[in-house]
Amino acid sequence: KKESIIILGIEGSANKLGVGIVNEKGDILANVRHTYVTPPGTGFLPKDTAKHHQDHILRLVKKALDKSNLTPAQIDGIAYTKGPGMGAPLRSVAIVARTIAQLWNKPIYGVNHCVAHIEMGRLITGAKNPVVLYVSGGNTQVISYSLQYYRIFGETIDIAIGNCLDRLARALNISNDPSPGYNIEQIAKRKPESELTLKEIPYVVKGMDVSFSGILSYVESGIKAEQEQSILNQEDWCYSVQETAFAMLVEITERAMAHCGQKEVLIVGGVACNKRLQQMMGVMVKERGGVLYATDHRYCIDNGAMIAWTGVEMLRSGFKPEPIEDTWCTQRYRTDQVKVLWRND
């Protein structure tokens, strides 16, 4: 008798393609990833990203099976990212998930990408019931669990923090390898703080919500003006945007902590790896007598294991597998649209 449910999960909502295999105990048996990296000064387009996923996905599925020493017969189900994300990349992954589920005769589960980030963060850090700051290239939300739903208390009203940072990197012609956000973080640390100038950048918090598009326009025109005068200082811009944008995120997270009376904060999503954001959040959480939880790049950047683990939780808690005709994907899928059957606290 097999002692544990094993799920294979596939993630491909943006430029990272990941395949993970996780068992019921939360052991990560495989978590392989391939990132589509574009030249400096450019972003990634849906059709090119989809082509990247199509070129690499079967090799990654095979690699995950090899790494976990498992055969398809030992897998109990397939989980895939239903949304939110970019249409063409999501579709490319859904087609493969749907096909292997039928070839191997396995149940299939469509996973909400945002919920998967939260569940992965809780699994890895052991956070019980935290206020969650979910920060990535496509999403910026402050979330707290209540009565079987992850409720959104505050969010961006325009672009995500990760998108703002990606486009700052584009304006400064910074490399996208391994990621624009990582390179911005390193450039901001190149000089001691005493040698950096904190530029006055718009600070836009509206109640529980934040806005980054005005900051981006302001920064882009400021960079252009400095480039024309040949006085561009990359370090000052990277430092100033991080300090300003992260302070906004800390403010709305603190307000959610106070409102919900919670002592734990969990940061998830690609931007959650940023050490400066973790440091700033840590100061606030400590002042409130709380605990901050964060993960490293293996789990905060999009990955297949988070989709697989959420699939495990869905299967265990009685979610019905999706009939093949319902295995569509969607670019818009809110965090608070999913009934979290596996939690009843």
Side-chain angles (χ1 to χ4, degrees):
K1 183 183 175 300
K2 236 172 73 191
E3 70 223 34
S4 168
I5 296 166
I6 297 174
I7 298 281
L8 181 140
I10 314 178
E11 153 62 30
S13 60
N15 70 327
K16 285 95 184 166
L17 175 67
V19 179
I21 300 176
V22 179
N23 69 15
E24 197 175 354
K25 299 188 200 110
D27 302 324
I28 295 160
L29 310 176
N31 193 21
V32 294
R33 181 166 56 207
H34 198 278
T35 303
Y36 172 52
V37 176
T38 57
T42 63
F44 50 91
L45 296 168
K47 76 169 194 295
D48 302 332
T49 311
K51 177 82 173 66
H52 163 270
H53 291 5
Q54 291 157 22
D55 291 345
H56 291 278
I57 189 161
L58 296 179
R59 193 172 51 78
L60 279 187
V61 169
K62 193 174 177 316
K63 196 172 167 185
L65 288 169
D66 290 348
K67 206 161 182 159
S68 60
N69 282 324
L70 293 170
T71 63
Q74 293 166 287
I75 303 284
D76 296 301
I78 307 296
Y80 71 100
T81 306
K82 199 171 186 72
M86 296 169 93
L90 281 171
R91 264 198 314 276
S92 305
V93 166
I95 286 166
V96 172
R98 200 178 297 143
T99 307
I100 59 175
Q102 291 176 94
L103 281 172
W104 299 348
N105 196 20
K106 307 293 180 191
I108 185 167
Y109 295 88
V111 172
N112 179 300
H113 181 85
C114 318
V115 170
H117 270 296
I118 298 169
E119 291 308 332
M120 193 64 179
R122 288 177 60 231
L123 170 69
I124 299 297
T125 63
K128 293 281 176 287
N129 184 26
V131 166
V132 179
L133 175 68
Y134 170 32
V135 275
S136 68
N139 298 277
T140 299
Q141 299 177 343
V142 176
I143 300 156
S144 188
Y145 169 85
S146 172
L147 304 173
Q148 293 206 310
Y149 287 93
Y150 283 117
R151 318 278 175 173
I152 300 168
F153 281 80
E155 61 190 315
T156 174
I157 55 173
D158 39 60
I159 61 171
I161 174 66
N163 188 241
C164 181
L165 293 171
D166 290 351
R167 286 160 73 178
L168 166 67
R170 226 177 289 175
L172 290 170
N173 217 35
I174 292 168
S175 166
N176 290 323
D177 189 15
S179 74
Y182 176 81
N183 293 329
I184 287 169
E185 183 185 354
Q186 304 317 310
I187 290 168
K189 290 195 282 204
R190 272 203 306 228
K191 287 182 180 168
E193 209 161 345
S194 56
E195 288 175 32
L196 291 163
T197 306
L198 183 65
K199 293 176 180 290
E200 272 199 33
I201 288 175
Y203 181 98
V204 195
V205 172
K206 302 185 177 191
M208 280 300 293
D209 294 334
V210 287
S211 161
F212 295 111
S213 63
I215 292 176
L216 182 66
S217 311
Y218 178 88
V219 167
E220 283 175 338
S221 56
I223 289 170
K224 203 165 173 221
E226 283 191 13
Q227 277 168 336
E228 282 162 8
Q229 296 164 43
S230 303
I231 54 163
L232 183 66
N233 185 323
Q234 275 194 339
E235 290 86 352
D236 283 355
W237 283 110
C238 292
Y239 168 71
S240 302
V241 171
Q242 278 197 161
E243 294 300 305
T244 307
F246 294 170
M248 289 160 52
L249 296 171
V250 171
E251 180 185 330
I252 61 168
T253 306
E254 180 166 24
R255 206 169 281 141
M257 276 182 92
H259 177 77
C260 301
Q262 277 159 294
K263 289 289 185 203
E264 295 182 321
V265 171
L266 170 65
I267 321 180
V268 298
V271 183
C273 317
N274 189 298
K275 293 282 189 286
R276 181 61 188 142
L277 174 59
Q278 291 180 13
Q279 200 180 358
M280 289 169 75
M281 192 66 75
V283 171
M284 179 276 286
V285 172
K286 194 175 170 196
E287 281 174 3
R288 297 188 67 87
V291 189
L292 173 67
Y293 295 98
T295 62
D296 63 26
H297 66 94
R298 290 172 301 175
Y299 309 117
C300 62
I301 294 171
D302 293 350
N303 62 85
M306 70 185 202
I307 302 299
W309 172 242
T310 310
V312 168
E313 298 206 288
M314 288 170 79
L315 190 155
R316 277 195 311 200
S317 60
F319 262 88
K320 296 270 181 286
E322 289 181 342
I324 286 297
E325 60 273 19
D326 287 343
T327 55
W328 41 265
C329 45
T330 171
Q331 288 175 273
R332 307 204 184 289
Y333 189 7
R334 298 279 288 174
T335 315
D336 51 10
Q337 275 176 267
V338 179
K339 189 156 193 192
V340 186
L341 291 180
W342 54 90
R343 284 187 69 173
N344 50 18
D345 47 325

